[in-house]
Amino acid sequence: MQKSAAQPAGVTLDPLTLGRPLHLLERFTALARGDLDEAFRSSLNRRYRACFEVGDLRLVPLDGLPARGGWTGFAHERGRIDFALERRLLLCALDYRYGAHPATQGGARDEAPVTATEERLATLLGRRFVGALVERLEGRAPSPDGSAHTGRLLEDATTPLRRQGAWALHVSVRERAHGVDGAMWFVLEEAWQRHLLQQLAPLRERPGEPAAAQPFARRLPLALTARLLEKDIPLGRLLDLRVGDVIPVSLGPSDVLVDDSRVFTAQVVEHKGKLCLTAFEDVE
């Protein structure tokens, strides 16, 4: 049987996947990669000045998963997710948390007995990363502290998922400051797969229901323009300005316009290096 061109790299064609929009998974993996990268930044990089970076995220066969140690299962109302972080990355994170220097540690540490401190950190990071993945699987951008779903994840100590039909996600990770390379894995039950594919599938019109039957608000695209600030300065000061001069300003609520009409006010916030509008209020 020939492999489908739309099948993600590294995944053997499974008859159970036929007819599913797997070619749309690239959109999900790109978003999930950014979410996990942000989870590393907020939980380790920013606090401990680490340099963990997330690389590619792809589906892999179940027989390609590490067989020993490091797995933590989390039960969720929609289905179970198993998580594993390669030990060299876990030890690197542990060193950052306790002020050690990962570059000075020998490779023999990987063979040393697992400590209770390692296990606690693995569970803590697993809850953080699985929580970020769950939020993306639910179709939402993760909350800043990753707390939206972590409280609904219950640790499940049963045997990691290996049954037919489960999906495994491989995420490559690198700690740039000390050259530590590794990976983390997520194994998802079929319920998560169905939920994700339903979200990725393009919306189809119901038989006999024209597109015009959709709510008018969803069929009317509007371009929003944000006016960030206005500043009044005397004409003499304006004429005296030179290259390199600084004009002090303070950024308050911004006006949001549709065409040239002021419709809302909104707060400008920074999220993942981008300026975003939030806290919209109608202009009376």
Side-chain angles (χ1 to χ4, degrees):
M1 182 179 293
Q2 187 176 3
K3 187 175 179 180
S4 170
Q7 188 77 1
V11 181
T12 304
L13 185 61
D14 184 345
L16 298 177
T17 66
L18 294 177
R20 295 183 172 186
L22 296 185
H23 61 287
L24 299 177
L25 281 176
E26 292 183 5
R27 185 172 63 193
F28 163 76
T29 56
L31 292 171
R33 177 186 179 278
D35 297 337
L36 295 171
D37 199 55
E38 175 63 18
F40 267 112
R41 189 184 73 85
S42 60
S43 59
L44 290 170
N45 293 357
R46 184 169 57 192
R47 180 175 300 179
Y48 304 107
R49 297 185 179 180
C51 297
F52 288 95
E53 298 175 343
V54 173
D56 66 313
L57 188 155
R58 66 183 187 276
L59 290 175
V60 295
L62 290 178
D63 55 13
L65 298 178
R68 60 179 186 137
W71 284 98
T72 306
F74 293 96
H76 185 274
E77 59 194 25
R78 191 178 296 278
R80 173 178 165 143
I81 297 180
D82 285 338
F83 170 80
L85 178 66
E86 199 162 348
R87 195 181 183 200
R88 68 187 68 171
L89 292 170
L90 179 61
L91 291 174
C92 185
L94 191 69
D95 289 335
Y96 270 115
R97 283 174 64 91
Y98 290 98
H101 299 284
T104 65
Q105 306 295 341
R109 293 181 70 203
D110 290 353
E111 303 300 326
V114 176
T115 65
T117 304
E118 281 182 57
E119 293 177 342
R120 287 194 296 270
L121 180 59
T123 301
L124 178 67
L125 293 178
R127 188 177 297 275
R128 178 70 177 89
F129 296 135
V130 172
L133 186 66
V134 166
E135 291 184 30
R136 180 55 64 188
L137 287 166
E138 294 279 18
R140 292 187 290 270
S143 52
D145 60 355
S147 61
H149 280 273
T150 52
R152 296 162 58 189
L153 295 173
L154 301 177
E155 188 174 355
D156 188 343
T158 56
T159 305
L161 291 168
R162 287 294 187 276
R163 60 177 174 270
Q164 184 180 9
W167 278 3
L169 296 177
H170 172 281
V171 184
S172 61
V173 181
R174 176 177 176 80
E175 205 290 316
R176 181 165 40 84
H178 298 98
V180 179
D181 294 289
M184 57 184 177
W185 296 267
F186 300 87
V187 181
L188 286 69
E189 281 190 324
E190 279 193 90
W192 282 115
Q193 303 168 29
R194 293 193 297 268
H195 178 69
L196 173 60
L197 292 175
Q198 286 172 358
Q199 289 189 322
L200 293 176
L203 295 177
R204 300 177 181 176
E205 297 177 15
R206 296 178 181 176
E209 180 182 0
Q214 299 176 7
F216 179 71
R218 294 185 176 274
R219 293 185 285 116
L220 180 64
L222 293 175
L224 299 182
T225 301
R227 183 186 295 156
L228 296 183
L229 60 91
E230 292 182 356
K231 175 132 181 112
D232 295 328
I233 59 174
L235 177 59
R237 173 74 191 284
L238 178 63
L239 296 176
D240 290 338
L241 290 177
R242 297 291 181 269
V243 176
D245 288 349
V246 176
I247 303 175
V249 298
S250 59
L251 191 62
S254 297
D255 293 333
V256 181
L257 296 82
V258 176
D259 291 332
D260 294 325
S261 300
R262 180 169 171 262
V263 181
F264 306 105
T265 61
Q267 298 291 334
V268 180
V269 298
E270 183 273 337
H271 180 63
K272 296 184 181 180
K274 298 180 180 180
L275 293 180
C276 305
L277 297 177
T278 186
F280 284 82
E281 293 185 7
D282 293 331
V283 175
E284 295 181 357

